[in-house]
Amino acid sequence: MNLWKIAFFGLAGIVIAAVVYLFILLGQHDDSAPIPKADDTIKAANYLTVRATKKDFEGIANTYIQKAINKEPLPVTMLVEDDIILLSELTVFSYTLPVKMHFDPIVREDGNLTLKQSKLEIGKLNIQPATVLKILKDSVDLPPWMVVRPKEEELFIDLRALPISGDLEVRAKEFNLDKDEIILEITIPK
């Protein structure tokens, strides 16, 4: 019986050491991808202003996310509540842990969005947000309009790069989740 306990605790020590090593290895942060430059050229266009609710934006965002990563093994879903939440999973040694990343949306001057990470929940583990973003970046082939920036603990959403039919472009004008008001501008070239 004592030999069994020694073997069990030895194996548990090896597993714990492997998990710690894995998180140290994943904790090394690469330089973040640069944010695409804004196109400042003025084009002849018509503009359409669209008001959306949190649920409207959530539905549109999830449609584009699912189309872009439909063959990926790691699910990614967006919820829009008091903040923006990305839901996913992290598998460590055949254990699947739910991942819930909270972001505050910031409308950039160029009409794109920066999602600044504000909170992170991974089961009961305490992992640095930058590490989880690095895992997300390395594990999922995200669409080109979603740029993960682990070092800055943010996601950049390039709304101009959304695959919309025609030459339409989308810009965010306002993103007020407290008032459930999201204002987008659609550019329709002449």
Side-chain angles (χ1 to χ4, degrees), residues 13-84:
I14 291 171
V15 169
I16 290 171
V19 169
V20 168
Y21 174 74
L22 176 68
F23 285 118
I24 289 172
L25 183 67
L26 291 173
Q28 298 171 353
H29 306 295
D30 299 336
D31 287 336
S32 294
I35 293 175
K37 296 278 186 210
D39 182 11
D40 293 335
T41 58
I42 297 173
K43 301 173 191 170
N46 295 307
Y47 300 95
L48 176 67
T49 301
V50 177
R51 293 185 184 276
T53 64
K54 293 186 273 191
K55 289 298 168 200
D56 294 333
F57 187 82
E58 178 182 297
I60 293 166
N62 281 319
T63 299
Y64 279 100
I65 290 170
Q66 297 313 313
K67 281 183 182 180
I69 64 171
N70 66 355
K71 293 181 176 34
E72 290 295 321
L74 192 65
V76 176
T77 305
M78 180 184 285
L79 296 177
V80 182
E81 297 176 350
D82 292 335
D83 58 359
I84 293 180

Side-chain angles (χ1 to χ4, degrees), residues 91-133:
T91 303
V92 179
F93 297 112
S94 73
Y95 289 101
T96 301
L97 302 169
V99 176
K100 199 173 192 182
M101 296 175 277
H102 296 258
F103 297 91
D104 293 323
I106 300 167
V107 176
R108 297 174 49 90
E109 207 173 290
D110 63 1
N112 290 306
L113 287 175
T114 295
L115 303 181
K116 193 74 175 161
Q117 191 161 31
S118 59
K119 188 171 140 188
L120 171 70
E121 301 169 33
I122 301 179
K124 296 183 184 199
L125 297 176
N126 185 12
I127 301 174
Q128 293 292 325
T131 302
V132 175
L133 286 172

